[in-house]
Amino acid sequence: MKFLITGGLGFIGSSLIRKIIKETDHQVLNLDKETYAANVLNLKSIELDERYTFVKGDICDEILIEKLLFDFQPDYLMHLAAESHVDNSISNPSEFIRTNIFGTFSLLKNCYQYWESLPTKKKETFKFHHISTDEVYGSQISRKLFNENSRYDPSSPYAASKASSDHLVRAWFKTYNMPILISNCSNNYGPYQFPEKLIPLTILKAIKGEKIPIYGNGLQVRDWLHVEDHSTALLDIILKGKTG
């Protein structure tokens, strides 16, 4: 099978690509814009594998997206490219709106045209998997966990942009019957995480003997998911998940 993965130089995307290349016989095309949070060293261990291809590009570039889809002919598209840092979304929301909303629209629009052009057998196997976040559900006051039926209640520009992209993906399923999947994960941690995130930031500051930041009153509860467990789940979802 052929996987087109967006945002594959990021923390979660690179973990997923390493897993696919090391543990399966599938091919991967990685499309990444190489923003500040991307790191080519994340994929150093597999970059020379003949089943792996990297293309630098922007998901908002519709001409590029169309070319990659029709040239590479993917069986699956897994969309992980996103602006994802909450603090940055508060100080500079424009890039979050552009990448997370307009970028997702660009992918959906071109994927639909590609999917419609496929022969019947390949059309039946194609899936568009949108990887989202549990932050679209807002802050949880009680200890009750979110699930697929939880009400959307985003509380930051980042979460609002991801909620918007979720709604677009669902609309392409309901309006055009395009085979989509959406997964909403909690906070990830693990190797290769960008150092602005809470756990690596805290560890690095502790090592340097610097003050460790406390967010709010320090009493917030977070649910943490190891990135390699998440990658295992993502692969299961795209291969076994029920579309829609």
Side-chain angles (χ1 to χ4, degrees), residues 127-171:
K127 294 175 187 173
F128 180 106
H129 183 181
H130 177 59
I131 290 81
S132 189
T133 171
D134 64 354
E135 294 199 39
V136 299
Y137 303 120
S139 301
Q140 186 64 281
I141 298 173
S142 69
R143 292 296 181 104
K144 184 179 178 183
L145 299 176
F146 294 120
N147 60 46
E148 293 87 343
N149 297 315
S150 296
R151 184 171 68 92
Y152 275 58
D153 188 22
S155 52
S156 71
Y158 160 60
S161 68
K162 290 298 286 185
S164 300
S165 63
D166 285 9
H167 294 325
L168 283 173
V169 174
R170 278 205 180 88

Side-chain angles (χ1 to χ4, degrees), residues 212-230:
I212 295 172
I214 300 295
Y215 295 87
N217 59 12
L219 299 178
Q220 291 86 349
V221 174
R222 284 190 176 187
D223 186 32
W224 292 98
L225 173 64
H226 195 282
V227 69
E228 291 172 10
D229 292 334
H230 188 197

